[in-house]
Amino acid sequence: MSSFNNPQQYNVEPGPGPAAAGGQPSPQYQPQPQMQPPPPGYAEQPPPPPGAPGAYGGQPPFQPPGGYAPMPPGPAPRRRRGPVILASVLSVALVAAIGAFVFFNFFWTSGPDPAERFPSSASMYLEVNLDPSFDQTPKLIDHLNKFEGLDYDDTNDILADVLEEAGMEDVDADEDIASWLGRRHGMAMWSHDEQPYAVVNLASTDAEAAEAGLEKIRESSGVSEDQWAYTVGDDSVLMVAGDSGAAAALEAAESEAGSSPLSGSDSYEEARSWLDGDQLAVYWFDVEAFTETVGMMGDEGTVTALGSTFSGHFIAGFSAFDEGFELSYRHFGEEDNPWTGSEELLADMGEMPASDIAVTADVPENLAEITEEWTSELEGLSGETDGGSETTDSGPLTDEEYAEYQELDQQWWDDTLAPEDEERYYELEQRYWTYGTEDDPVETDYDTGSDYEDALGEAEEFIDLLSGAQLSIAADFPAEGGEFDPETLFASVVLSEDRAEELNTMIEEMSGGEALPEGVEVDGSSLSYEGGGVADGTLADDERFSAFADAAPDSAAFGVWVDLADVSSYEEFSGAEPLSAFAWAQGSVDGDGTGLARLYLK
């Protein structure tokens, strides 16, 4: 096909001559090009030899008046190889680019971004992508195949394995699910009309097959549309599941996602943009919305724990790197994370012995403020309030209170506990497990009087000593079937002030007056111990640790290193042959808590 849409047409009509009478045209009647004055030196050119093309049987051709016979072309010039090679390379590159485009768009179809299909008010979101990129997918297959019993050629094998494990009755995993299921999926927690729902988006490669497969699953499970509703699109399936009202919730979820998707929300967009690179899995949740949704499910314990500890939103990404898998995360809190860490912590950790286990931490200088709530709760257990008066709800339960507690406890297990009775139930439960009943009180070996107050004072003094300190400990695993060898132990405490002697005295008092082991050194702000069997070399000598330290947060609050290279020799870790090491560092960036965990494989 021509690259021109309208190629120019050339139409040459013969002049008068024998051809007009039906004969063959003579050479002199052939169309002649418009002639130009002969170039300089034309007269010196010799005529063509007889019989040569254009000699016309040895006769000179017809010449128009004032014309001249064009000179024959000279020998063709030698073509330069450079442009030819360059053109070939560009052609190959163009074909490869077109091939890659076609491959990614028609064959490597992980599916649409699930976050675009969820409402922005979702409280929690999990995305799984089995084919994220040319870089991630081969590493995923290679790493998984290192484990015994796994032999995957591609992600189709992984998906088939997962579906086989699901084992749904009367459902053919290959025909009813794998025939249409894509590779990129998402799940979210979301509330509608004050009811919690699970919202799922599955990538689909065949809408008709998806429709038939889901209908088969519905028939097999016996779940009603009021509990599980779904809609099938061209490239994905959206479904909503809950106790009731699923169809209405599905319509509401679609409507909100159409006008305000999760992918466009400020908090999710901020978090996802921080998470660099392709991810095999992404986990995100909004703390306030999540605790609200969990509260609808009756889990008050989780609500209390999360609400009093966290704020803002959190994201984590799971991916593969050359030597294993890694997890990156960040908590976008509304308040600065108190564990700011130190830029020198991991470098100092690298100077620790190359032991099987190593842990180090940089204690915040305001540790007393951080632990103030804990100490207040401990003071509450002593039977006094902040004002020093005795609490009215302390002590064992009376017979009437115990009967009331039993009734409320049964309602809690039956999930029939009324919201207005929850506070009373938790109060009675705490007193029961702390003090017991009047007929059967809890026996305690501690005194809640002055001795208890003295213990709190010692705890506060200990906290004051450790504020701003750097703690480090390392040791080797015990030999298989053996006991821990204290000679492999390394421990170090570096205080912010020259108070190591005070710390040494306090530890001895807390241990019942027993002196610390021989070999403990106390010098100014440093208290340390190193056994005679401590591992040779340092962690920095290990390329795995050095690579991890380079990738970890710049400012680290604590670090953990576990060398797993020899763990597989232990009977209880018989399936751990591929494991090489585990590393974890928690730190901060711009006031937010952040961290990196890596699992190294052999």
Side-chain angles (χ1 to χ4, degrees), residues 33 36 55 99 108 125 162 177 211 269 284 301 312 320 325 431 492 497 529 536 556 560 565 568 571-572 593:
Q36 299 295 329
W108 194 292
Y125 171 69
V162 173
I177 303 177
E211 189 78 52
E269 190 174 26
W284 171 91
F325 297 103
R431 287 176 55 198
S492 171
E497 301 178 27
Y529 171 80
D536 295 331
V560 177
S568 59
E571 184 177 351
E572 53 267 43

Side-chain angles (χ1 to χ4, degrees), residues 137-138 140-162 164 578:
T137 307
L140 171 65
I141 300 296
D142 179 63
H143 293 342
L144 290 180
N145 285 342
K146 293 177 181 178
F147 291 89
E148 184 178 356
L150 299 182
D151 185 15
Y152 298 134
D153 291 330
D154 52 34
T155 52
N156 289 331
D157 292 344
I158 300 177
L159 185 60
D161 208 1
V162 173
E164 183 179 350

